[in-house]
């Protein structure tokens, strides 16, 4: 039932993609796929193995030899690299500040997109990232582009960090977010950009519930169009 569509959610760092994607997936009993976690997982392994960030060939070879799994636990989604749970490790500042350089490489993206398309082939999926509506699922029935001011996004990360007891200051977080957005938006292959047919939502002054409700209403419409009311 109700599983005929794919929902693609893109946007810059801390726009609220993963929080809202999880809620929407839960509500519809869809699976949720965090593609950023896959790039983070590769980055985590590359850093551990001291592979230079600019070595496209070594990095794509590493990816070929790396098993990345997204597993739905009872509490949260777990990320497994070659069977090891790296759910916490991939959120470290070190990974966050290096992931965009690894995600720039054509050979890395080719393999990631292939894996992501495989995961999305059955529909009934909410997938978030930077190039989902443009490259991974260009025929997604619902495409959303989330944005918010960089001040608001830095504040969201800051609040998240304070809850976890981390201490990066607001200005540093803002600069890191701006730097990552710049690399993601300017890269040659599949840059961060709104798909022509995506609905843009500025979440700066919206609550999480409001954003989720608005995506759910688009999903309901798409399901009706598919004859699945
Ligand atoms: O959650 P946050 O916005 O901090 O980032 P993420 O979604 O975990 O993605 C981390 C990084 O992976 C991004 O900054 C991009 O460099 C890369 N990425 C990508 O290139 N394409 C995607 N579909 C998803 C992530
Ligand atoms: O996945 P992405 O990097 O786009 O964002 P996220 O990891 O979901 O982080 C967004 C943070 O902002 C979370 O702590 C949310 O609770 C908060 N937030 C939001 O997602 N949406 C709003 N409209 C307001 C706050």
């Amino acid at each position: 039932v109700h599983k005929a569509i794919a929902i693609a959610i893109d946007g810059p760092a801390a726009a609220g993609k993963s929080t809202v994607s999880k809620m929407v997936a839960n509500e519809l009993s869809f699976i949720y796929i965090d593609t950023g976690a896959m790039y983070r997982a590769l980055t985590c392994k590359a850093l551990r193995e001291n592979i230079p960030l600019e070595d496209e060939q070594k990095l794509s070879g590493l990816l070929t030899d790396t098993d990345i799994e997204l597993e739905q636990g009872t509490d949260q989604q777990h990320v497994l690299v070659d069977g090891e749970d790296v759910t916490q490790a991939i959120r470290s500042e070190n990974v966050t500040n290096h992931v965009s350089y690894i995600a720039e490489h054509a050979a890395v993206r080719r393999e990631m997109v292939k894996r992501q398309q495989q995961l999305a082939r059955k529909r009934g999926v909410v997938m978030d990232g930077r190039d989902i509506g443009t490259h991974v699922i260009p025929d997604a029935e619902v495409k959303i582009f989330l944005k918010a001011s960089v001040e608001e996004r830095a504040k969201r990360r800051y609040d998240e960090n304070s809850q976890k007891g981390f201490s990066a200051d607001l200005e540093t977080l803002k600069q890191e977010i701006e730097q990552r957005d710049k690399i993601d938006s300017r890269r040659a292959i599949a840059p961060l950009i709104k798909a022509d047919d995506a609905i843009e939502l500025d979440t700066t002054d919206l609550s999480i519930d409001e954003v989720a409700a608005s995506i759910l209403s688009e999903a309901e419409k798409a399901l009706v169009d598919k004859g699945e009311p």
Side-chain angles (χ1 to χ4, degrees):
V1 290
H2 268 18
K3 300 246 163 127
I5 64 166
I7 303 176
I9 302 188
D10 291 299
K17 299 181 298 297
S18 64
T19 305
V20 167
S21 297
K22 274 177 222 156
M23 290 173 68
V24 170
N26 246 330
E27 193 66 33
L28 297 171
S29 304
F30 279 21
I31 58 165
Y32 164 57
I33 297 158
D34 177 354
T35 63
M38 298 171 72
Y39 288 95
R40 285 173 178 274
L42 176 65
T43 304
C44 187
K45 185 164 169 181
L47 290 170
R48 284 182 188 174
E49 301 196 1
N50 285 315
I51 296 177
L53 300 176
E54 60 284 349
D55 195 332
E56 174 161 12
Q57 220 185 337
K58 278 220 177 99
L59 289 166
S60 83
L62 181 72
L63 178 55
T64 308
D65 292 336
T66 302
D67 180 50
I68 301 173
E69 272 180 276
L70 303 177
E71 217 176 64
Q72 196 46 59
T74 44
D75 51 341
Q76 55 173 334
Q77 195 162 79
H78 289 261
V79 183
L80 305 182
V81 169
D82 303 324
E84 181 194 341
D85 193 325
V86 293
T87 313
Q88 305 301 325
I90 63 167
R91 304 289 157 195
S92 74
E93 231 189 318
N94 196 26
V95 170
T96 300
N97 292 333
H98 291 98
V99 58
S100 289
Y101 299 98
I102 287 184
E104 278 188 305
H105 297 300
V108 169
R109 301 203 70 84
R110 217 177 299 124
E111 173 63 18
M112 286 292 192
V113 169
K114 199 172 92 193
R115 293 187 190 191
Q116 290 156 7
Q117 289 175 335
Q118 183 68 14
L119 292 169
R121 74 192 180 284
K122 286 200 202 124
R123 292 306 200 235
V125 63
V126 181
M127 188 176 275
D128 83 333
R130 301 292 186 288
D131 61 341
I132 311 307
T134 53
H135 287 85
V136 182
I137 326 178
D139 56 349
E141 285 76 6
V142 177
K143 295 186 188 179
I144 306 288
F145 192 85
L146 293 184
K147 59 176 210 179
S149 73
V150 68
E151 286 75 21
E152 171 66 18
R153 291 185 287 124
K155 192 175 153 292
R156 289 177 187 175
R157 277 284 182 268
Y158 183 84
D159 291 344
E160 257 177 10
N161 287 354
S162 341
Q163 279 169 19
K164 293 182 201 153
F166 299 168
S167 60
D169 64 277
L170 195 58
E171 190 52 35
T172 305
L173 285 170
K174 186 173 158 226
Q175 281 167 14
E176 286 172 357
I177 286 177
E178 281 176 328
Q179 173 66 5
R180 195 145 58 93
D181 287 351
K182 199 159 98 187
I183 303 168
D184 289 344
S185 308
R186 292 186 185 173
R187 69 176 171 233
I189 299 130
L192 166 64
I193 189 175
K194 183 184 105 54
D196 289 336
D197 52 350
I199 295 167
E200 184 171 281
L201 276 179
D202 186 336
T203 75
T204 308
D205 299 311
L206 295 179
S207 70
I208 298 169
D209 287 340
E210 286 171 319
V211 179
S214 140
I215 298 173
L216 279 167
S217 114
E218 293 302 327
E220 298 300 340
K221 276 193 255 170
L223 284 164
V224 170
D225 283 347
K226 284 262 162 177
E228 297 212 21

